[in-house]
PDB file of all heavy atoms in Angstrom:
ATOM      1  N   THR B 657       3.812 -10.247   2.013  1.00 94.00           N
ATOM      2  CA  THR B 657       4.436  -9.183   1.252  1.00 94.00           C
ATOM      3  C   THR B 657       4.778  -8.024   2.180  1.00 94.00           C
ATOM      4  O   THR B 657       4.086  -7.789   3.172  1.00 94.00           O
ATOM      5  CB  THR B 657       3.514  -8.718   0.095  1.00 94.00           C
ATOM      6  OG1 THR B 657       4.207  -7.808  -0.737  1.00 94.00           O
ATOM      7  CG2 THR B 657       2.255  -8.064   0.616  1.00 94.00           C
ATOM      8  N   TRP B 658       5.854  -7.341   1.867  1.00 97.00           N
ATOM      9  CA  TRP B 658       6.323  -6.218   2.689  1.00 97.00           C
ATOM     10  C   TRP B 658       6.462  -4.968   1.824  1.00 97.00           C
ATOM     11  O   TRP B 658       6.935  -5.024   0.689  1.00 97.00           O
ATOM     12  CB  TRP B 658       7.679  -6.542   3.324  1.00 97.00           C
ATOM     13  CG  TRP B 658       7.616  -7.500   4.475  1.00 97.00           C
ATOM     14  CD1 TRP B 658       7.487  -8.861   4.406  1.00 97.00           C
ATOM     15  CD2 TRP B 658       7.695  -7.180   5.862  1.00 97.00           C
ATOM     16  NE1 TRP B 658       7.474  -9.398   5.670  1.00 97.00           N
ATOM     17  CE2 TRP B 658       7.610  -8.395   6.580  1.00 97.00           C
ATOM     18  CE3 TRP B 658       7.842  -5.985   6.579  1.00 97.00           C
ATOM     19  CZ2 TRP B 658       7.659  -8.448   7.978  1.00 97.00           C
ATOM     20  CZ3 TRP B 658       7.894  -6.034   7.965  1.00 97.00           C
ATOM     21  CH2 TRP B 658       7.798  -7.258   8.649  1.00 97.00           C
ATOM     22  N   TYR B 659       6.064  -3.840   2.432  1.00 97.00           N
ATOM     23  CA  TYR B 659       6.190  -2.554   1.773  1.00 97.00           C
ATOM     24  C   TYR B 659       6.903  -1.568   2.685  1.00 97.00           C
ATOM     25  O   TYR B 659       6.859  -1.683   3.905  1.00 97.00           O
ATOM     26  CB  TYR B 659       4.809  -1.983   1.420  1.00 97.00           C
ATOM     27  CG  TYR B 659       4.120  -2.680   0.282  1.00 97.00           C
ATOM     28  CD1 TYR B 659       3.355  -3.822   0.499  1.00 97.00           C
ATOM     29  CD2 TYR B 659       4.235  -2.199  -1.022  1.00 97.00           C
ATOM     30  CE1 TYR B 659       2.717  -4.460  -0.549  1.00 97.00           C
ATOM     31  CE2 TYR B 659       3.596  -2.837  -2.075  1.00 97.00           C
ATOM     32  CZ  TYR B 659       2.842  -3.957  -1.835  1.00 97.00           C
ATOM     33  OH  TYR B 659       2.219  -4.592  -2.881  1.00 97.00           O
ATOM     34  N   GLN B 660       7.517  -0.586   2.046  1.00 98.00           N
ATOM     35  CA  GLN B 660       8.191   0.509   2.749  1.00 98.00           C
ATOM     36  C   GLN B 660       7.490   1.807   2.359  1.00 98.00           C
ATOM     37  O   GLN B 660       7.168   1.999   1.182  1.00 98.00           O
ATOM     38  CB  GLN B 660       9.665   0.550   2.311  1.00 98.00           C
ATOM     39  CG  GLN B 660      10.469   1.725   2.831  1.00 98.00           C
ATOM     40  CD  GLN B 660      11.789   1.853   2.076  1.00 98.00           C
ATOM     41  OE1 GLN B 660      11.813   1.964   0.847  1.00 98.00           O
ATOM     42  NE2 GLN B 660      12.889   1.838   2.800  1.00 98.00           N
ATOM     43  N   GLN B 661       7.276   2.670   3.331  1.00 98.00           N
ATOM     44  CA  GLN B 661       6.658   3.941   3.006  1.00 98.00           C
ATOM     45  C   GLN B 661       7.383   5.103   3.677  1.00 98.00           C
ATOM     46  O   GLN B 661       7.587   5.092   4.896  1.00 98.00           O
ATOM     47  CB  GLN B 661       5.174   3.984   3.403  1.00 98.00           C
ATOM     48  CG  GLN B 661       4.466   5.245   2.922  1.00 98.00           C
ATOM     49  CD  GLN B 661       3.018   5.350   3.334  1.00 98.00           C
ATOM     50  OE1 GLN B 661       2.606   4.836   4.358  1.00 98.00           O
ATOM     51  NE2 GLN B 661       2.215   6.049   2.516  1.00 98.00           N
ATOM     52  N   PHE B 662       7.731   6.087   2.854  1.00 97.00           N
ATOM     53  CA  PHE B 662       8.283   7.341   3.350  1.00 97.00           C
ATOM     54  C   PHE B 662       7.141   8.340   3.479  1.00 97.00           C
ATOM     55  O   PHE B 662       6.100   8.200   2.821  1.00 97.00           O
ATOM     56  CB  PHE B 662       9.346   7.868   2.390  1.00 97.00           C
ATOM     57  CG  PHE B 662      10.520   6.955   2.234  1.00 97.00           C
ATOM     58  CD1 PHE B 662      10.751   6.291   1.036  1.00 97.00           C
ATOM     59  CD2 PHE B 662      11.408   6.753   3.283  1.00 97.00           C
ATOM     60  CE1 PHE B 662      11.833   5.444   0.883  1.00 97.00           C
ATOM     61  CE2 PHE B 662      12.491   5.898   3.140  1.00 97.00           C
ATOM     62  CZ  PHE B 662      12.704   5.238   1.942  1.00 97.00           C
ATOM     63  N   PRO B 663       7.313   9.369   4.294  1.00 94.00           N
ATOM     64  CA  PRO B 663       6.251  10.372   4.464  1.00 94.00           C
ATOM     65  C   PRO B 663       5.838  10.992   3.140  1.00 94.00           C
ATOM     66  O   PRO B 663       6.673  11.311   2.301  1.00 94.00           O
ATOM     67  CB  PRO B 663       6.907  11.401   5.394  1.00 94.00           C
ATOM     68  CG  PRO B 663       7.918  10.624   6.161  1.00 94.00           C
ATOM     69  CD  PRO B 663       8.459   9.613   5.195  1.00 94.00           C
ATOM     70  N   SER B 664       4.546  11.126   2.961  1.00 94.00           N
ATOM     71  CA  SER B 664       3.955  11.762   1.776  1.00 94.00           C
ATOM     72  C   SER B 664       4.333  11.059   0.470  1.00 94.00           C
ATOM     73  O   SER B 664       4.425  11.694  -0.592  1.00 94.00           O
ATOM     74  CB  SER B 664       4.361  13.243   1.701  1.00 94.00           C
ATOM     75  OG  SER B 664       3.847  13.937   2.817  1.00 94.00           O
ATOM     76  N   GLN B 665       4.557   9.751   0.542  1.00 96.00           N
ATOM     77  CA  GLN B 665       4.795   8.957  -0.661  1.00 96.00           C
ATOM     78  C   GLN B 665       3.955   7.692  -0.592  1.00 96.00           C
ATOM     79  O   GLN B 665       3.551   7.266   0.490  1.00 96.00           O
ATOM     80  CB  GLN B 665       6.272   8.581  -0.789  1.00 96.00           C
ATOM     81  CG  GLN B 665       7.200   9.762  -1.021  1.00 96.00           C
ATOM     82  CD  GLN B 665       8.628   9.306  -1.281  1.00 96.00           C
ATOM     83  OE1 GLN B 665       8.854   8.203  -1.782  1.00 96.00           O
ATOM     84  NE2 GLN B 665       9.578  10.154  -0.966  1.00 96.00           N
ATOM     85  N   GLY B 666       3.707   7.096  -1.751  1.00 97.00           N
ATOM     86  CA  GLY B 666       3.020   5.822  -1.754  1.00 97.00           C
ATOM     87  C   GLY B 666       3.946   4.710  -1.297  1.00 97.00           C
ATOM     88  O   GLY B 666       5.170   4.838  -1.394  1.00 97.00           O
ATOM     89  N   PRO B 667       3.397   3.623  -0.777  1.00 97.00           N
ATOM     90  CA  PRO B 667       4.238   2.500  -0.357  1.00 97.00           C
ATOM     91  C   PRO B 667       5.046   1.930  -1.523  1.00 97.00           C
ATOM     92  O   PRO B 667       4.574   1.906  -2.659  1.00 97.00           O
ATOM     93  CB  PRO B 667       3.215   1.470   0.154  1.00 97.00           C
ATOM     94  CG  PRO B 667       2.028   2.281   0.538  1.00 97.00           C
ATOM     95  CD  PRO B 667       1.987   3.393  -0.456  1.00 97.00           C
ATOM     96  N   ARG B 668       6.234   1.486  -1.195  1.00 96.00           N
ATOM     97  CA  ARG B 668       7.113   0.876  -2.201  1.00 96.00           C
ATOM     98  C   ARG B 668       7.250  -0.598  -1.890  1.00 96.00           C
ATOM     99  O   ARG B 668       7.582  -0.979  -0.767  1.00 96.00           O
ATOM    100  CB  ARG B 668       8.474   1.555  -2.192  1.00 96.00           C
ATOM    101  CG  ARG B 668       9.450   1.022  -3.235  1.00 96.00           C
ATOM    102  CD  ARG B 668      10.755   1.809  -3.211  1.00 96.00           C
ATOM    103  NE  ARG B 668      11.606   1.435  -2.100  1.00 96.00           N
ATOM    104  CZ  ARG B 668      12.697   0.664  -2.198  1.00 96.00           C
ATOM    105  NH1 ARG B 668      13.034   0.152  -3.362  1.00 96.00           N
ATOM    106  NH2 ARG B 668      13.428   0.398  -1.136  1.00 96.00           N
ATOM    107  N   PHE B 669       7.022  -1.437  -2.886  1.00 95.00           N
ATOM    108  CA  PHE B 669       7.156  -2.874  -2.714  1.00 95.00           C
ATOM    109  C   PHE B 669       8.606  -3.237  -2.394  1.00 95.00           C
ATOM    110  O   PHE B 669       9.541  -2.769  -3.049  1.00 95.00           O
ATOM    111  CB  PHE B 669       6.714  -3.584  -3.990  1.00 95.00           C
ATOM    112  CG  PHE B 669       7.003  -5.054  -4.004  1.00 95.00           C
ATOM    113  CD1 PHE B 669       6.201  -5.930  -3.298  1.00 95.00           C
ATOM    114  CD2 PHE B 669       8.077  -5.558  -4.720  1.00 95.00           C
ATOM    115  CE1 PHE B 669       6.460  -7.294  -3.309  1.00 95.00           C
ATOM    116  CE2 PHE B 669       8.342  -6.925  -4.739  1.00 95.00           C
ATOM    117  CZ  PHE B 669       7.537  -7.785  -4.034  1.00 95.00           C
ATOM    118  N   ILE B 670       8.776  -4.076  -1.361  1.00 96.00           N
ATOM    119  CA  ILE B 670      10.122  -4.526  -0.999  1.00 96.00           C
ATOM    120  C   ILE B 670      10.338  -5.977  -1.421  1.00 96.00           C
ATOM    121  O   ILE B 670      11.260  -6.286  -2.178  1.00 96.00           O
ATOM    122  CB  ILE B 670      10.366  -4.427   0.521  1.00 96.00           C
ATOM    123  CG1 ILE B 670      10.176  -3.003   1.028  1.00 96.00           C
ATOM    124  CG2 ILE B 670      11.770  -4.931   0.865  1.00 96.00           C
ATOM    125  CD1 ILE B 670      10.283  -2.898   2.547  1.00 96.00           C
ATOM    126  N   ILE B 671       9.489  -6.865  -0.916  1.00 96.00           N
ATOM    127  CA  ILE B 671       9.721  -8.279  -1.128  1.00 96.00           C
ATOM    128  C   ILE B 671       8.450  -9.047  -0.788  1.00 96.00           C
ATOM    129  O   ILE B 671       7.614  -8.559  -0.024  1.00 96.00           O
ATOM    130  CB  ILE B 671      10.906  -8.747  -0.241  1.00 96.00           C
ATOM    131  CG1 ILE B 671      11.484 -10.081  -0.716  1.00 96.00           C
ATOM    132  CG2 ILE B 671      10.505  -8.820   1.226  1.00 96.00           C
ATOM    133  CD1 ILE B 671      12.850 -10.400  -0.083  1.00 96.00           C
ATOM    134  N   GLN B 672       8.316 -10.214  -1.368  1.00 93.00           N
ATOM    135  CA  GLN B 672       7.205 -11.081  -0.998  1.00 93.00           C
ATOM    136  C   GLN B 672       7.647 -12.533  -1.109  1.00 93.00           C
ATOM    137  O   GLN B 672       8.596 -12.851  -1.835  1.00 93.00           O
ATOM    138  CB  GLN B 672       5.963 -10.824  -1.845  1.00 93.00           C
ATOM    139  CG  GLN B 672       6.043 -11.263  -3.288  1.00 93.00           C
ATOM    140  CD  GLN B 672       4.779 -10.902  -4.048  1.00 93.00           C
ATOM    141  OE1 GLN B 672       4.058  -9.977  -3.691  1.00 93.00           O
ATOM    142  NE2 GLN B 672       4.498 -11.628  -5.113  1.00 93.00           N
ATOM    143  N   GLY B 673       6.951 -13.391  -0.345  1.00 94.00           N
ATOM    144  CA  GLY B 673       7.322 -14.796  -0.373  1.00 94.00           C
ATOM    145  C   GLY B 673       6.229 -15.681   0.181  1.00 94.00           C
ATOM    146  O   GLY B 673       5.278 -15.207   0.817  1.00 94.00           O
ATOM    147  N   TYR B 674       6.388 -16.958  -0.057  1.00 93.00           N
ATOM    148  CA  TYR B 674       5.413 -17.933   0.412  1.00 93.00           C
ATOM    149  C   TYR B 674       5.982 -18.793   1.551  1.00 93.00           C
ATOM    150  O   TYR B 674       5.302 -19.042   2.545  1.00 93.00           O
ATOM    151  CB  TYR B 674       4.968 -18.827  -0.742  1.00 93.00           C
ATOM    152  CG  TYR B 674       3.928 -19.847  -0.358  1.00 93.00           C
ATOM    153  CD1 TYR B 674       2.602 -19.474  -0.212  1.00 93.00           C
ATOM    154  CD2 TYR B 674       4.286 -21.175  -0.132  1.00 93.00           C
ATOM    155  CE1 TYR B 674       1.645 -20.398   0.156  1.00 93.00           C
ATOM    156  CE2 TYR B 674       3.330 -22.104   0.226  1.00 93.00           C
ATOM    157  CZ  TYR B 674       2.015 -21.719   0.362  1.00 93.00           C
ATOM    158  OH  TYR B 674       1.063 -22.641   0.738  1.00 93.00           O
ATOM    159  N   LYS B 675       7.222 -19.223   1.397  1.00 91.00           N
ATOM    160  CA  LYS B 675       7.856 -20.024   2.450  1.00 91.00           C
ATOM    161  C   LYS B 675       9.371 -19.941   2.332  1.00 91.00           C
ATOM    162  O   LYS B 675       9.896 -19.399   1.358  1.00 91.00           O
ATOM    163  CB  LYS B 675       7.402 -21.474   2.385  1.00 91.00           C
ATOM    164  CG  LYS B 675       7.769 -22.177   1.094  1.00 91.00           C
ATOM    165  CD  LYS B 675       7.296 -23.620   1.110  1.00 91.00           C
ATOM    166  CE  LYS B 675       7.646 -24.328  -0.208  1.00 91.00           C
ATOM    167  NZ  LYS B 675       7.171 -25.746  -0.197  1.00 91.00           N
ATOM    168  N   THR B 676      10.031 -20.418   3.333  1.00 92.00           N
ATOM    169  CA  THR B 676      11.500 -20.462   3.460  1.00 92.00           C
ATOM    170  C   THR B 676      12.103 -19.077   3.326  1.00 92.00           C
ATOM    171  O   THR B 676      11.809 -18.194   4.083  1.00 92.00           O
ATOM    172  CB  THR B 676      12.119 -21.464   2.461  1.00 92.00           C
ATOM    173  OG1 THR B 676      11.850 -21.063   1.129  1.00 92.00           O
ATOM    174  CG2 THR B 676      11.553 -22.851   2.699  1.00 92.00           C
ATOM    175  N   LYS B 677      13.010 -18.913   2.389  1.00 96.00           N
ATOM    176  CA  LYS B 677      13.754 -17.653   2.316  1.00 96.00           C
ATOM    177  C   LYS B 677      13.701 -17.075   0.914  1.00 96.00           C
ATOM    178  O   LYS B 677      13.834 -17.783  -0.076  1.00 96.00           O
ATOM    179  CB  LYS B 677      15.207 -17.888   2.728  1.00 96.00           C
ATOM    180  CG  LYS B 677      16.102 -16.656   2.624  1.00 96.00           C
ATOM    181  CD  LYS B 677      17.545 -16.996   2.980  1.00 96.00           C
ATOM    182  CE  LYS B 677      18.450 -15.778   2.783  1.00 96.00           C
ATOM    183  NZ  LYS B 677      19.878 -16.101   3.094  1.00 96.00           N
ATOM    184  N   VAL B 678      13.499 -15.778   0.868  1.00 96.00           N
ATOM    185  CA  VAL B 678      13.527 -15.053  -0.391  1.00 96.00           C
ATOM    186  C   VAL B 678      14.500 -13.885  -0.237  1.00 96.00           C
ATOM    187  O   VAL B 678      14.502 -13.214   0.799  1.00 96.00           O
ATOM    188  CB  VAL B 678      12.135 -14.512  -0.770  1.00 96.00           C
ATOM    189  CG1 VAL B 678      12.201 -13.763  -2.093  1.00 96.00           C
ATOM    190  CG2 VAL B 678      11.109 -15.637  -0.834  1.00 96.00           C
ATOM    191  N   THR B 679      15.319 -13.676  -1.227  1.00 96.00           N
ATOM    192  CA  THR B 679      16.290 -12.578  -1.163  1.00 96.00           C
ATOM    193  C   THR B 679      16.276 -11.798  -2.464  1.00 96.00           C
ATOM    194  O   THR B 679      16.199 -12.379  -3.539  1.00 96.00           O
ATOM    195  CB  THR B 679      17.704 -13.124  -0.895  1.00 96.00           C
ATOM    196  OG1 THR B 679      17.716 -13.787   0.369  1.00 96.00           O
ATOM    197  CG2 THR B 679      18.722 -11.986  -0.849  1.00 96.00           C
ATOM    198  N   ASN B 680      16.331 -10.480  -2.338  1.00 95.00           N
ATOM    199  CA  ASN B 680      16.528  -9.649  -3.522  1.00 95.00           C
ATOM    200  C   ASN B 680      17.608  -8.626  -3.222  1.00 95.00           C
ATOM    201  O   ASN B 680      18.313  -8.728  -2.207  1.00 95.00           O
ATOM    202  CB  ASN B 680      15.216  -9.006  -3.980  1.00 95.00           C
ATOM    203  CG  ASN B 680      14.589  -8.097  -2.944  1.00 95.00           C
ATOM    204  OD1 ASN B 680      15.271  -7.595  -2.042  1.00 95.00           O
ATOM    205  ND2 ASN B 680      13.283  -7.883  -3.060  1.00 95.00           N
ATOM    206  N   GLU B 681      17.751  -7.641  -4.053  1.00 94.00           N
ATOM    207  CA  GLU B 681      18.854  -6.702  -3.893  1.00 94.00           C
ATOM    208  C   GLU B 681      18.650  -5.753  -2.708  1.00 94.00           C
ATOM    209  O   GLU B 681      19.570  -5.055  -2.304  1.00 94.00           O
ATOM    210  CB  GLU B 681      19.040  -5.891  -5.181  1.00 94.00           C
ATOM    211  CG  GLU B 681      17.856  -5.000  -5.551  1.00 94.00           C
ATOM    212  CD  GLU B 681      16.747  -5.747  -6.278  1.00 94.00           C
ATOM    213  OE1 GLU B 681      16.834  -6.990  -6.396  1.00 94.00           O
ATOM    214  OE2 GLU B 681      15.792  -5.076  -6.729  1.00 94.00           O
ATOM    215  N   VAL B 682      17.462  -5.755  -2.158  1.00 93.00           N
ATOM    216  CA  VAL B 682      17.146  -4.816  -1.087  1.00 93.00           C
ATOM    217  C   VAL B 682      17.067  -5.494   0.283  1.00 93.00           C
ATOM    218  O   VAL B 682      17.523  -4.939   1.288  1.00 93.00           O
ATOM    219  CB  VAL B 682      15.797  -4.118  -1.370  1.00 93.00           C
ATOM    220  CG1 VAL B 682      15.429  -3.188  -0.221  1.00 93.00           C
ATOM    221  CG2 VAL B 682      15.855  -3.357  -2.676  1.00 93.00           C
TER     222      VAL B 682
END
Side-chain angles (χ1 to χ4, degrees):
Chain B
T657 188
W658 285 79
Y659 287 86
Q660 173 194 56
Q661 187 182 29
F662 298 111
S664 297
Q665 294 186 28
R668 182 177 77 104
F669 171 77
I670 302 175
I671 198 166
Q672 71 183 25
Y674 181 78
K675 62 179 179 180
T676 62
K677 177 183 176 181
V678 180
T679 298
N680 61 22
E681 64 278 6
V682 177

